[in-house]
Amino acid sequence: MLTILDKYILKRYLTTFSVMLLMFIPIGITIDVSEKVNKMIENNVPFSAIAQYYVDFTIYFANLLFPIFLFLSIIWFTSKLANNTEIIAILSSGISFTRFLRPYIIGATIVSLFALLMGFFLVPKASEGFKNFRYMYLIGNGQNEMRDNSDVYRQINKDEYIYVSSFNSVSKMAFNFSMEKFEKDKLKYKVSASRIKWNPRDSSYTLFDFKKRKVGELGDVIISEQRKDTVLNFDLEDLTPVVYIAETLSYFDLIKFIEKEKTRGSTNINTYLVVLYKKYSIPVSAFILTIIAVAVSSMKRRGGMGINLAIGILLAFAFVFLDKVFGVLAEKSSAPPIIAVWIPNILFGILAIYLLRNAKR
């Protein structure tokens, strides 16, 4: 059962965190609008697309800076409790520091569960919309193509390879498509097309400027058609760039995709695993950052809240910095992704234990 004290602290925990989000997200949107408004006007972006983009931006932005918002909100209201000598009164009544932490841990549990569900289901969808808008309207002078993360080359099974120069997930269309079939290291045929479009109704593809070259011992056979509808033995996501697809798949779809890529011998497994492991590591960081924030801000200092906030901002950005550095390290090196992703939590977990022991004293 929650006591009056538990309800009081828990209410302050959740309310301050919510207010922090509501304060900073509009600031982020304002900055983003100021940077992109000229590009939007230049490309005649529909208002409905802009509105949907900023819904996706809100979810994407909140998830990206979730550790900073949580950390600063806890330091803010706990410092106010300390400055008002409320914490001294609580501990003087015989309540231990560990018992004092209970409503904070309950709050961290609520926030981490919410972050976990968002990471599993909401953030991938928002990430897809966020990136689609950027690639369609803000990159490449508004042309419906992806200039970044282009040149997708995949092995779809033991003997077949596909390539596209770019892919647009909104129109479900890829450009400069080719597919090669080998048998015992010898090319059997090559299919090429200037464009390839996915047809969701019957799960087929339409190839424009279709050409198929069959390699024979006595000569090659070339088949050409202006347009050809056919079924191909690869999935739509095989045309999507590596990082782009990993960030836009829900949890269960990502698990299936990783298993499929492992059977194909993909060289990009580490990139997919980093995205997967971060879905767990970010919610766990809520507990670690909560303990650190309480330990840092529960003492009344001469400098007041300013000192606590300065320490909090420094630690929060250090956490985000380490998270990004080790994430890139896992993607670009041979370091095990699960270890690299969890190193920031491990380091800050040790710091949390040290600060908690000092706070108890």
Side-chain angles (χ1 to χ4, degrees):
M1 295 293 293
L2 294 178
T3 64
I4 295 176
L5 176 62
D6 292 333
K7 293 178 182 179
Y8 174 69
I9 294 178
L10 182 59
K11 181 181 178 181
R12 297 286 295 272
Y13 184 109
L14 298 177
T15 301
T16 309
F17 177 58
S18 302
V19 170
M20 188 74 71
L21 286 176
L22 294 175
M23 285 177 57
F24 280 93
I25 287 176
I27 294 174
I29 292 175
T30 302
I31 295 173
D32 192 74
V33 169
S34 65
E35 291 178 348
K36 298 180 173 61
V37 63
N38 291 334
K39 199 77 172 179
M40 293 177 184
I41 295 173
E42 179 184 339
N43 294 323
N44 298 316
V45 183
F47 176 78
S48 59
I50 296 175
Q52 182 59 50
Y53 166 72
Y54 280 107
V55 171
D56 296 329
F57 175 87
T58 298
I59 299 173
Y60 185 85
F61 183 72
N63 181 72
L64 182 66
L65 297 180
F66 155 76
I68 295 178
F69 291 151
L70 180 66
F71 199 67
L72 294 182
S73 64
I74 297 171
I75 285 185
W76 174 267
F77 86 83
T78 305
S79 295
K80 290 188 68 177
L81 293 179
N83 286 341
N84 295 334
T85 67
E86 293 179 70
I87 295 179
I88 294 176
I90 292 170
L91 298 179
S92 298
S93 66
I95 294 177
S96 66
F97 195 86
T98 303
R99 175 62 183 83
F100 171 69
L101 273 176
R102 191 173 80 167
Y104 287 93
I105 299 302
I106 294 173
T109 302
I110 295 172
V111 171
S112 64
L113 287 175
F114 182 70
L116 191 68
L117 292 175
M118 281 190 62
F120 278 10
F121 304 108
L122 291 180
V123 174
K125 188 67 177 177
S127 180
E128 182 178 13
F130 174 79
K131 292 179 181 295
N132 284 346
F133 184 91
R134 290 183 65 249
Y135 291 132
M136 176 172 286
Y137 298 113
L138 305 179
I139 297 176
N141 297 320
Q143 298 178 7
N144 297 342
E145 60 181 349
M146 292 174 57
R147 298 296 177 85
D148 289 354
N149 294 324
S150 58
D151 295 323
V152 179
Y153 187 78
R154 295 276 178 87
Q155 179 178 358
I156 58 176
N157 56 46
K158 183 179 178 181
D159 301 316
E160 290 183 304
Y161 300 82
I162 60 172
Y163 166 82
V164 293
S165 63
S166 59
F167 173 73
N168 183 273
S169 63
V170 176
S171 62
K172 306 296 190 249
M173 184 175 294
F175 300 87
N176 300 319
F177 168 79
S178 67
M179 182 172 69
E180 298 175 335
K181 168 74 173 182
F182 290 85
E183 285 186 8
K184 297 181 179 179
D185 298 328
K186 291 185 178 180
L187 180 66
K188 297 300 294 182
Y189 66 80
K190 178 178 180 179
V191 173
S192 61
S194 62
R195 292 178 293 149
I196 178 171
K197 181 174 176 59
W198 165 255
N199 303 311
R201 289 186 177 180
D202 54 3
S203 299
S204 66
Y205 291 91
T206 299
L207 284 74
F208 300 88
D209 300 324
F210 169 84
K211 289 183 180 180
K212 183 174 183 179
R213 181 172 185 169
K214 296 181 179 179
V215 179
E217 294 182 0
L218 301 178
D220 297 347
V221 178
I222 300 176
I223 303 172
S224 300
E225 295 183 32
Q226 186 174 359
R227 171 174 174 158
K228 183 176 181 63
D229 296 322
T230 186
V231 177
L232 300 173
N233 61 337
F234 60 85
D235 299 323
L236 181 65
E237 59 262 24
D238 291 324
L239 303 176
T240 311
V242 174
V243 177
Y244 186 78
I245 186 172
E247 293 181 353
T248 59
L249 292 175
S250 65
Y251 175 75
F252 297 107
D253 291 336
L254 182 58
I255 292 291
K256 294 177 183 177
F257 179 73
I258 290 174
E259 291 301 319
K260 183 173 68 174
E261 289 297 294
K262 284 181 178 179
T263 60
R264 292 177 175 178
S266 173
T267 58
N268 300 309
I269 293 298
N270 281 2
T271 302
Y272 305 137
L273 290 176
V274 167
V275 176
L276 175 63
Y277 295 144
K278 280 190 176 183
K279 292 182 184 294
Y280 296 104
S281 65
I282 291 178
V284 170
S285 68
F287 294 95
I288 297 171
L289 295 177
T290 294
I291 294 173
I292 293 176
V294 175
V296 167
S297 58
S298 59
M299 296 176 58
K300 190 172 182 179
R301 303 177 190 274
R302 288 186 179 180
M305 294 176 57
I307 299 297
N308 289 338
L309 286 174
I311 296 173
I313 291 172
L314 179 63
L315 290 174
F317 278 98
F319 179 85
V320 173
F321 175 76
L322 288 176
D323 181 64
K324 296 298 180 184
V325 167
F326 284 103
V328 173
L329 181 66
E331 293 177 6
K332 305 299 183 181
S333 70
S334 58
I338 191 168
I339 295 177
V341 169
W342 281 91
I343 280 179
N345 278 347
I346 293 172
L347 294 178
F348 274 74
I350 295 172
L351 177 62
I353 293 171
Y354 171 77
L355 293 175
L356 183 58
R357 287 182 175 179
N358 286 345
K360 286 181 178 180
R361 293 173 186 172

